[in-house]
Amino acid sequence: MAVLVLMTASPAFADQTDPRLDQLFEELRVGDARRAEENTARIIEIWSDSQSDTVDLLYERANLAANNGAFDLSLALLDHIVGLAPNFAQGYALRGTVRLAAENRAGAIEDFSKVLELEPRQFEVRTTLAELLLAGGERRDAYEMFQKALEWNPHDDYARRQARMLRREIDGQEI
């Protein structure tokens, strides 16, 4: 299973509480597709800054370890990250991604749920959860989760295609 690469950066004030996110999300929601990729990258960059040099360094190393297949090391670092910064949503997002790659579905869902508690606009996590729901045969719930991801990032072609496919399947079912 591929590990999602989450970007890191170091703006002066960031994470999911950064006031710049509101404007970026507004641009993403109502703007054109040409700027969507840039806005998405900027949002992820802001989310990935914990506002702590220590946590940011651990996050960078955990991401690197995960990308090199060293899941145990990555998870150990991520456990420290969520302990040091329990309100840093991307720490849970990366840990959930690594847990999923290490085939710990329950742990991944727990982390992804925490992400959405801290940052309901986290469209990447919503898409991943939709895929997990779909894999579990929960098509209606998967459809709803894809729709929620599209509320925040309407330019996600993959989520849009999946939602359309599920809508057709659901519409064909008896209620």
Side-chain angles (χ1 to χ4, degrees), residues 84-104:
L84 291 169
N87 293 319
F88 177 49
Q90 285 305 98
Y92 293 98
L94 182 55
R95 189 171 73 174
T97 300
V98 174
R99 284 178 163 178
L100 192 56
E103 301 182 16
N104 178 353

Side-chain angles (χ1 to χ4, degrees), residues 74 77 102 105 123 130 162:
S74 182
L77 293 168
R105 186 177 192 266
F123 47 84
Q162 290 296 96

